[in-house]
Structures are given as C-alpha cells and as structure tokens.
Amino acid sequence: ASSLSGQARAPVATSLPSADARLQREQGPSMQPSAISLASKALESEDLKLRAKRGDPVAQRKLAQVYDACFMPNIQPGVFASGYEQQAKLLKDPGHAPRMIQIAHKREAECRNVDGGAIIPRDLIVGWFEQAARNGDLGAQAMSYALNQTVLDQAAADQFIRSVVGSNDPAAIFLLGNTVGGAPMKAVSAEYKEAMSGPNASFAWMVVGCRMGYDCGPSSDLMESACLFMGGCGGGDFEEMVRSELKTDEQRDAFEQKVDEVSRLLQKAA
C-alpha cells in the first residue's frame, strides 16, 4: 500500500487529516498573510455564520469546515505556527519547508479573525455538520457519519451512496471518501463494495470530487491543510499530491482502477 493508504479513512473536511483525530488531541515578510487575506477570511466566516443561522445547509457545512480548520490554531495561539517552524525542519524535501511555515503563519493569523480567536469546541464543529446534514447537505451527512462512526446497515449504506452518486455534488463525492474503511460503509452491498474498499479508495472518491469541481487547487484551504497535516507541501493540487505518493506501477495501476470504478458509478447514475 502507498504511504497515503488509510490516512483519509477518518473525516477530511477543509482540514487534513481528520477533524476527529485532531479533536481528540485537544491540547520574514513572505511569511505574513496579507491584510486583504485576513479581512476576507473574517468577512467570509461572518457571512457564513449569518447564512448558516438562516438555515442554508451549504453555509452550515462550510462554517463547520472553517471551524475545523481553525480548531488547532485557536487552541494553541502563538504555539501553532512556531510548532510548524520546527516540524518544517523534518520534511523529507527541505525545499518545501518555507511553504509549510508560510501556511502555518497564515492559518494562525486568519483563525484569530474567526470568532475573535476563541477556542472552538468540538461540539460546534460536529453540531454544524449535523445541522447541515439534517437540512439535506450530503457532504455534511458524510462528515457526520464519519465523525460519529455511525454504523449503517446495508440498505442505509447503499441508499446513501446512491444519493451521493446521483447528486452530481462535488463536495458530497469528495467528502464521501471520509467514510471509506470506517463503520458507516462496512455493510455495503456487492454493487458498491469495489468502490468503497481497498487501498486509496477514499482518495479515489476525493480525486473524482476534485475533478468535478470541489476546490482542490494549489492555493485552496484544502491544500493548505494538506501541507500542514499531511506534509503535502509541494505546491500542486490534491490529485498531484496523491499521485506523488504512489511509488510503484502496481500502486498507480490500482489507483487508476479505483478512480475508474468510482467514475463508472457516476456515469451509470447520470
């Protein structure tokens, strides 16, 4: 298996790796984010809060993702970025260190503008995902299942996959990847077994979601989190990061087959 295998089995929201894994651990000029970036992040989070409170399920899910991204920075103000200055020294490719440090400082500064830098309770993240799920956001429902490790029976698991596959929703496709290998999808029928099991199946769903339009570009929040929490600081997009960890022809072929299997399910539902 590749070194990525299994890392996305727990939830991946805006941040990587999972909210759940991190929630249980409560505990130079180029490195400074621009004033525009900070202001826009603050305005974005306030706008999301306003729309979330009005019942917009997509805003509710995105607000949960903002809170997820800011969980660690806000629990360790002043320590988060300095910790990454040390961690950057351990990267396999020293050339990636400046990017990791820059992103850590940017994330810490941006998160000071989310709820005034207050510590973000786990329940706030889980609660907004659950609210969005109740209001029909399938990506949030996938996150809620994964965070809670909800055990679905075969009928419920199949029906949920069917809903996601038929939704044409890039966020739902991407975030469904978080349920692969976990309790929610253990009971899937033979129809979905191949797409929902095996090394890197979770990443196959995510890559397909990226191709459909989920924001996985080099400068996305997702890829900044991938740099911080997975060491994916090469500057490419999500698919490039995943492929860079597939070291053998066998791994690459297996991954292509998994992506093809997910794509076939989507084509059948179209």
Side-chain angles (χ1 to χ4, degrees), residues 57-58 60-61 127-137 140-141:
V58 174
Q60 290 169 342
R61 189 231 322 142
W128 278 117
F129 276 130
E130 290 178 345
Q131 185 63 54
R134 284 193 292 272
N135 287 336
D137 187 271
Q141 196 168 340

Side-chain angles (χ1 to χ4, degrees), residues 45-66:
S45 64
E46 288 305 312
D47 176 61
L48 283 175
K49 267 194 282 189
L50 191 61
R51 289 191 287 126
K53 288 174 180 176
R54 289 175 179 164
D56 179 340
V58 174
Q60 290 169 342
R61 189 231 322 142
K62 289 184 175 180
L63 182 60
Q65 290 177 299
V66 168

Side-chain angles (χ1 to χ4, degrees), residues 149-201:
Q149 284 297 285
T150 305
V151 178
L152 300 177
D153 62 22
Q154 185 177 100
D158 280 11
Q159 181 53 51
F160 182 63
I161 297 172
R162 205 169 292 123
S163 298
V164 170
V165 166
S167 71
N168 203 34
D169 178 353
I173 299 294
F174 183 94
L175 294 169
L176 180 65
N178 293 300
T179 66
V180 172
M185 297 298 155
K186 287 287 189 195
V188 293
S189 68
E191 182 180 1
Y192 299 116
K193 193 77 172 175
E194 182 63 29
M196 296 298 291
S197 60
N200 294 315

